[in-house]
Amino acid sequence: MASDRILIVDDNHEFVQFFAQDVLPQYGYETLVSTSGYDALRVMVQEEPAVVLLDVQMPDISGLDVLREMRVQQIDLPVIMMTAHGSESIAVSAFQLGAKDYLMKPFDLDLARAAIDRQLEQVRLRREKERLTRQLEQTQRDLERRVKELTVLFGISKSVTSLLELDKVLERVVDCLLYTSDAADEEDSVEL
């Protein structure tokens, strides 16, 4: 599931190896790994993961600082904060900065998977909404173009009919009808 890539940002190499190589791949997720806040920001921009698992304590900047920088750089990715040394104030700050969920280490793997799955479902729904919006906008442009074409044709037909005598117009309409009915008859005979 290339679109379900999970970026794990944590400086604990044992945790990263276990979670990124042993746990998440068994659920079908591709993993990306970063061990520092600044590197994580680079990976977010270059690789565009679906979800970010972000540790609060990092060697260069904190997870909360990463969330702040994501706002500045307008990186719109769902973030699940992780910490072994959490507090209510950290959790509140994380949510205020845009984190979507919060996990305390060591966490239950089923709980972590449920948090990831919730965020992935939101990502999929947002992508589908964006796709449908683009499709609707294209359909609207096509309809507007078609209305313009029909308006032009209607204007031309009005000007043609106003310039011609009624007998000649009716004669041309009958010719067109005969032509189209002959073409339809030929198509029917070819299909048989």
Side-chain angles (χ1 to χ4, degrees):
M1 297 182 201
S3 63
D4 291 345
R5 292 184 302 170
I6 312 298
L7 172 59
I8 302 169
V9 185
D10 198 310
D11 61 338
N12 181 326
H13 297 288
E14 293 82 25
F15 170 79
V16 168
Q17 182 175 5
F18 170 70
F19 209 61
Q21 295 177 3
D22 298 333
V23 176
L24 291 179
Q26 77 179 351
Y27 297 122
Y29 301 129
E30 182 182 334
T31 57
L32 301 166
V33 173
S34 181
T35 56
S36 75
Y38 288 122
D39 183 60
L41 291 165
R42 180 193 58 78
V43 172
M44 288 178 208
V45 171
Q46 291 179 350
E47 301 294 330
E48 298 179 13
V51 175
V52 178
L53 294 173
L54 177 63
D55 192 24
V56 171
Q57 294 184 343
M58 300 296 295
D60 51 0
I61 61 172
S62 73
L64 296 176
D65 290 332
V66 170
L67 285 172
R68 286 183 191 94
E69 190 60 29
M70 287 175 68
R71 271 191 177 176
V72 169
Q73 294 186 31
Q74 298 180 341
I75 300 171
D76 186 22
L77 296 172
V79 175
I80 300 171
M81 293 299 293
M82 309 179 294
T83 187
H85 310 289
S87 68
E88 288 179 15
S89 65
I90 291 175
V92 169
S93 295
F95 286 120
Q96 288 174 337
L97 291 169
K100 301 297 183 189
D101 214 328
Y102 191 85
L103 298 172
M104 292 290 295
K105 293 182 197 176
F107 46 76
D108 178 78
L109 294 179
D110 291 333
L111 184 65
R113 183 175 182 205
I116 292 169
D117 287 344
R118 274 193 306 273
Q119 296 313 310
L120 286 174
E121 183 61 26
Q122 291 300 314
V123 167
R124 291 179 189 126
L125 289 172
R126 187 180 74 217
R127 287 177 183 160
E128 180 64 12
K129 179 183 174 187
E130 290 169 354
R131 185 190 68 78
L132 290 172
T133 299
R134 285 190 306 271
Q135 185 178 7
L136 181 62
E137 289 169 349
Q138 181 61 45
T139 301
Q140 183 176 353
R141 285 190 297 271
D142 292 345
L143 285 173
E144 288 171 354
R145 189 189 84 248
R146 187 70 179 143
V147 166
K148 287 179 184 177
E149 291 171 356
L150 291 173
T151 301
V152 168
L153 287 175
F154 178 71
I156 292 170
S157 67
K158 277 179 60 175
S159 66
V160 166
T161 56
S162 69
L163 296 175
L164 298 176
E165 296 174 19
L166 182 59
D167 290 342
K168 289 184 179 182
V169 171
L170 291 175
E171 185 179 311
R172 288 188 183 177
V173 168
V174 169
D175 288 343
C176 286
L177 289 172
L178 288 173
Y179 176 77
T180 55
S181 67
D182 286 344
D185 289 341
E186 287 178 18
E187 284 181 22
D188 290 341
S189 64
V190 170
E191 290 178 7
L192 296 176

